[in-house]
Amino acid sequence: MDYSKMSFDFVATQFEPMIKKQITALHLYKNYDEFYQMGLIALWEAHKNFDPEKGAFPAYAQSYVRGKMMTLLQKEKTFVTRHELHDDDVQISKSYTMFDDEREELPDIYFEGLSPRERLWVQEAFVLQKKRKQIAEEHRVSIEVVKGWRKGAIRKLRNKHLLTEKC
């Protein structure tokens, strides 16, 4: 079949199951409509750019659609990763405001099971309101090390249900 000479509406109807299969294969259960729309756009681009001399359209379309979906998935992952740090900080701060403003330390339950460095991070970041850069400079470590302390503390606090999974 020469798909390059067919209307896009016909191609979209023929390849709709392939788009849905790619969504399922990539385990995309969130933002289904967004990924479906991306699949249609990618199919349209593949239909527009396809050169019949270079191979079969179905294989090209599947590869093109999957690639576009994976690119969108990576962009969303990057966005969430970059923005979850701030959200976690806000959630712990909200938990802390439940206690007296004059209090110099969090209740012991916040420190149970944390390593000494993770305890240090919780104490300095939320009780003393220090920034990561300041903590790193004072303890002569890199900011990446401080981020590691933070990540471990957040994970352990979430496991103890002191923080919500989604802030």
Side-chain angles (χ1 to χ4, degrees):
M1 243 181 173
D2 188 4
Y3 289 98
S4 62
K5 294 181 181 175
M6 297 180 183
S7 73
F8 178 71
D9 290 335
F10 177 77
V11 172
T13 303
Q14 293 295 309
F15 286 87
E16 181 180 16
M18 182 272 296
I19 293 171
K20 290 179 178 179
K21 184 176 180 184
Q22 290 303 313
I23 292 171
T24 303
L26 293 171
H27 305 288
L28 303 173
Y29 56 92
K30 292 182 183 176
N31 303 331
Y32 178 88
D33 292 335
E34 183 178 354
F35 281 97
Y36 182 78
Q37 185 67 27
M38 175 54 71
L40 283 174
I41 292 169
L43 183 63
W44 177 77
E45 289 174 358
H47 181 256
K48 186 175 90 173
N49 298 329
F50 178 65
D51 182 1
E53 294 178 9
K54 292 188 177 181
F57 180 74
Y60 175 71
Q62 180 179 354
S63 175
Y64 198 89
V65 168
R66 183 177 181 87
K68 286 289 189 172
M69 286 183 182
M70 290 177 70
T71 300
L72 179 60
L73 188 61
Q74 184 61 41
K75 284 181 182 178
E76 286 186 356
K77 181 181 175 188
T78 301
F79 179 84
V80 168
T81 301
R82 289 183 181 164
H83 291 82
E84 82 178 344
L85 300 176
H86 176 69
D87 292 345
D88 289 340
D89 294 347
V90 170
Q91 183 62 31
I92 291 178
S93 296
K94 288 178 184 174
S95 299
Y96 180 65
T97 59
M98 295 184 311
F99 308 109
D100 296 330
D101 290 333
E102 312 240 317
R103 194 173 200 142
E104 300 222 354
E105 290 193 25
L106 291 170
D108 289 339
I109 192 167
Y110 280 90
F111 296 103
E112 291 173 5
L114 298 181
S115 73
R117 295 297 185 169
E118 292 164 346
R119 289 176 188 211
L120 175 76
W121 177 80
V122 171
Q123 179 72 23
E124 296 206 356
F126 294 101
V127 177
L128 302 177
Q129 297 293 305
K130 293 182 182 178
K131 302 288 183 197
R132 280 179 274 213
K133 183 177 179 181
Q134 185 180 2
I135 296 169
E137 287 172 356
E138 289 177 6
H139 296 281
R140 298 173 196 215
V141 296
S142 70
I143 292 176
E144 295 303 315
V145 169
V146 175
K147 287 179 182 179
W149 299 346
R150 178 201 164 280
K151 185 177 179 181
I154 295 291
R155 186 184 72 248
K156 290 174 183 175
L157 290 170
R158 279 186 177 156
N159 287 341
K160 290 191 315 187
H161 304 291
L162 294 174
L163 291 178
T164 58
E165 278 299 317
K166 187 169 185 174
C167 301

